[in-house]
Amino acid sequence: VKIIHKHMPLPQHKQAQLSAEVFEALLISDKAKAQKFYKVAYENQDRIASEKDVWEILKKVGGNKAKVEAEIKKGVVAQR
């Protein structure tokens, strides 16, 4: 059985798109950190009000913001 994550950010969740992109960027290089990010973001979704909150979660799970931003900018994440 293969599980596939589909990200379909809803417009009322202002940081959902960024959160999905950060998750996908992390997944490219570190699946364990990606899963931690997913769990923490899901558990705190009602408290994610700004981009800063998303980046704080990334920092909390040990992710590298510069690396994640580079993956997002390269367009690799959008293709996933």
Side-chain angles (χ1 to χ4, degrees), residues 11-80:
Q12 66 266 31
H13 299 290
K14 302 298 182 201
Q15 302 309 318
Q17 182 67 39
L18 176 60
S19 296
E21 291 174 357
V22 169
F23 170 78
E24 288 293 337
L26 274 173
L27 199 56
I28 291 168
S29 61
D30 192 325
K31 290 181 182 179
K33 286 181 185 173
Q35 291 302 322
K36 286 180 189 176
F37 177 85
Y38 184 87
K39 182 180 180 195
V40 174
Y42 184 80
E43 290 172 350
N44 293 284
Q45 61 185 307
D46 57 331
R47 291 182 230 142
I48 301 173
S50 68
E51 285 187 21
K52 181 181 175 189
D53 297 327
V54 176
W55 297 123
E56 285 295 319
I57 292 171
L58 176 67
K59 183 178 177 182
K60 183 176 184 176
V61 302
N64 181 316
K65 182 180 178 185
K67 190 173 181 178
V68 166
E69 287 180 316
E71 291 293 343
I72 292 169
K73 286 180 184 176
K74 281 195 296 188
V76 176
V77 171
Q79 295 172 7
R80 292 179 58 89

